[in-house]
Amino acid sequence: YQGHVMGVKMQAQMRRDMFSHLEELPYSYYDENETGKIMSRMTNDLQNVSELAHHGPENFFICGVMVVGSFVYLFTVNWILTLIIFACVPILVTISLIMRKKMRDAFTENRKNVATINQSLESSISGIRVTKAFTNKEKELEKFEKGNLDYVKSRSKAYKAMGMFHSSTSFVMDIFNVVCIVFGAILALSEKFPLALEDYMAFAVSISLFINPLTTLINFVEQYQDGTTGFKRFLEMMDEKVETENPNAIS
């Protein structure tokens, strides 16, 4: 509850800053940027930023403690098997980094298309009297449909990137269990580094303590992409130069 309230308050403060900044921008900015796109940045984008600000530190803290704690515990059970399992982590991180870039690009494109739809809606609804007066319904439908189809394409691309990301990481996660079974059996039969059956069972059951927080962190990447994309768009607007007062202006 407190975390979500904190996120909402952050969102409200950012929206307040953005609105205040908008009030100081020159007319030229509004000539080049449609109202619907500006509204999209102020609503959808900031919502995702606040969610990231709330869940980000929470996930990193809880999952970080669990990963370290479970690693130490598994190390006490059998250090060889723990190091073998831990050696798979770089593979998981590498795949995540590669897939994350594809997700980031897809979500950025998707945001632009959402803004285009909002812009088309705002323009059509606010100008409905003109549309009706000139029986311009077909033209408005054509404009809206173009933005709508672009949104479907970009969202499909984003879902494809998400599917590739989740299926790849899930595959590596399953490899963790396979590695545990195979090398555990090898160590159980080894004479140099024997692994007791009870230790092997404890390790097999407890490996989920290590994998589950890793899964949470991996899935968090999707929310991270949403939030950082929204924050980038927020900064783009805040970096717009405000209208300056002419030093020779007469009151």
Side-chain angles (χ1 to χ4, degrees):
Y1 166 75
Q2 292 295 342
H4 279 292
V5 170
M6 178 195 72
V8 168
K9 288 182 177 179
M10 291 176 67
Q11 185 183 158
Q13 181 62 54
M14 293 174 74
R15 189 174 290 120
R16 190 177 298 120
D17 293 342
M18 186 183 287
F19 186 77
S20 175
H21 189 71
L22 282 169
E23 293 292 303
E24 298 178 4
L25 292 179
Y27 287 130
S28 58
Y29 178 80
Y30 295 96
D31 292 336
E32 298 168 4
N33 295 273
E34 295 87 350
T35 306
K37 291 185 177 181
I38 297 173
M39 290 173 64
S40 179
R41 295 195 181 208
M42 189 172 281
T43 52
N44 299 345
D45 291 352
L46 294 188
Q47 168 70 20
N48 290 323
V49 172
S50 69
E51 283 294 301
L52 172 62
H54 159 43
H55 288 293
E58 175 189 312
N59 284 339
F60 271 106
F61 177 75
I62 294 174
C63 295
V65 170
M66 287 188 68
V67 167
V68 173
S70 60
F71 177 78
V72 172
Y73 171 69
L74 293 174
F75 200 84
T76 60
V77 175
N78 188 279
W79 65 273
I80 298 177
L81 196 53
T82 302
L83 292 178
I84 292 173
I85 295 295
F86 200 71
C88 297
V89 174
I91 301 173
L92 185 64
V93 173
T94 302
I95 291 176
S96 299
L97 290 174
I98 294 172
M99 295 299 175
R100 193 183 76 175
K101 184 181 182 302
K102 293 183 179 180
M103 284 180 65
R104 182 189 63 206
D105 295 341
F107 275 110
T108 301
E109 184 182 344
N110 183 67
R111 294 207 171 287
K112 291 178 180 177
N113 285 303
V114 168
T116 300
I117 290 178
N118 286 343
Q119 173 263 319
S120 178
L121 274 173
E122 188 276 333
S123 176
S124 297
I125 294 171
S126 63
I128 191 67
R129 293 180 184 277
V130 178
T131 301
K132 284 182 174 291
F134 288 90
T135 59
N136 209 28
K137 175 184 173 182
E138 295 303 322
K139 190 66 179 177
E140 290 299 318
L141 282 172
E142 184 182 324
K143 283 163 56 181
F144 177 80
E145 190 59 22
K146 182 182 183 303
N148 210 22
L149 290 175
D150 287 341
Y151 170 78
V152 171
K153 289 178 183 177
S154 65
R155 196 64 190 173
S156 299
K157 187 177 179 181
Y159 282 137
K160 182 179 180 181
M162 283 171 54
M164 292 174 65
F165 175 81
H166 288 299
S167 58
S168 300
T169 52
S170 296
F171 177 72
V172 177
M173 289 294 185
D174 290 338
I175 288 178
F176 275 77
N177 289 313
V178 174
V179 168
C180 176
I181 293 170
V182 172
F183 283 91
I186 292 173
L187 289 174
L189 298 173
S190 171
E191 294 182 1
K192 190 174 184 181
F193 300 103
L195 177 64
L197 180 61
E198 58 270 23
D199 289 340
Y200 177 56
M201 293 302 293
F203 197 97
V205 171
S206 303
I207 194 172
S208 60
L209 294 173
F210 180 67
I211 293 177
N212 289 343
L214 272 181
T215 306
T216 302
L217 287 174
I218 293 301
N219 292 334
F220 170 70
V221 172
E222 180 185 331
Q223 189 178 52
Y224 174 79
Q225 294 303 337
D226 260 342
T228 51
T229 303
F231 189 65
K232 181 182 177 183
R233 286 162 60 81
F234 168 77
L235 290 180
E236 284 175 0
M237 181 175 288
M238 296 301 291
D239 287 341
E240 289 288 338
K241 295 188 181 301
V242 299
E243 193 167 22
T244 54
E245 185 78 22
N246 189 326
N248 299 319
I250 301 171
S251 299

